[in-house]
Amino acid sequence: MEYDYREAMKLKNQLCFPLYAAARAVTSLYTPYLKPLGLTYTQYIVMLVLWEEDGITVGEICKRLLLDSGTLSPLLKKLKTLGYIEKKHSEDDERAVLIYLTDEGRALQERAKDIPVQIGQCVKLEPDMAQQLYVLLYKLLDANKNDR
């Protein structure tokens, strides 16, 4: 059978589109919960990383969030302005910048603690389907790790 580029070029045949649209739809669910905290979704996931492990390098945050430093730097600047984080140069390596939560940043976790449950109630998938999707998405990310 001959390759039909016209069929291949249809939006309905692109894996990227439902991934893109679903990501936008799910991340938009966070807006009403994050807005009262003064956070964007991307700032929120930075805070999730720091609530999990405080005092890590900018490079480690980039790695965990699959972001480049050009994207992360303005986010960190805004979180610093909001009073949630502080930056310190590493004593071991002056080039390495460590990110620490402030008292306000730690207190924000308490204010944000219900967001995962609230979002879970908004996502209209059965728990087993959500788990399957989670596994498949991480398989996709892992399979394409070398492309980043």
Side-chain angles (χ1 to χ4, degrees), residues 13-133:
N13 294 327
Q14 308 304 308
L15 176 61
C16 61
F17 180 72
L19 286 170
Y20 165 78
R24 285 181 40 95
V26 171
T27 56
S28 73
L29 294 173
Y30 285 82
T31 302
Y33 304 107
L34 295 175
K35 195 170 189 168
L37 303 178
L39 293 177
T40 64
Y41 174 76
T42 316
Q43 291 166 344
Y44 172 68
I45 62 174
V46 171
M47 294 302 293
L48 287 174
V49 169
L50 292 169
W51 290 328
E52 193 174 316
E53 185 178 354
D54 193 10
I56 61 174
T57 65
V58 171
E60 183 60 27
I61 297 171
C62 287
K63 182 178 168 186
R64 290 186 191 186
L65 295 178
L66 307 176
L67 296 173
D68 59 62
S69 61
T71 301
L72 185 61
S73 292
L75 295 169
L76 294 174
K77 185 175 183 178
K78 180 64 175 179
L79 291 171
K80 186 174 186 229
T81 301
L82 292 169
Y84 295 139
I85 64 164
E86 58 186 356
K87 298 177 180 182
K88 295 181 182 175
H89 286 279
S90 170
E91 292 178 8
D92 299 332
D93 180 357
E94 188 64 28
R95 296 169 297 171
V97 177
L98 300 170
I99 306 300
Y100 290 91
L101 292 166
T102 62
D103 290 342
E104 293 86 3
R106 281 187 280 285
L108 183 64
Q109 185 177 19
E110 177 65 26
R111 293 176 52 209
K113 70 179 184 199
D114 295 327
I115 292 175
V117 171
Q118 292 165 324
I119 295 301
Q121 293 169 348
C122 294
V123 174
K124 305 297 184 211
L125 284 177
E126 295 296 321
D128 62 323
M129 289 183 74
Q131 182 61 31
Q132 287 176 338
L133 180 59

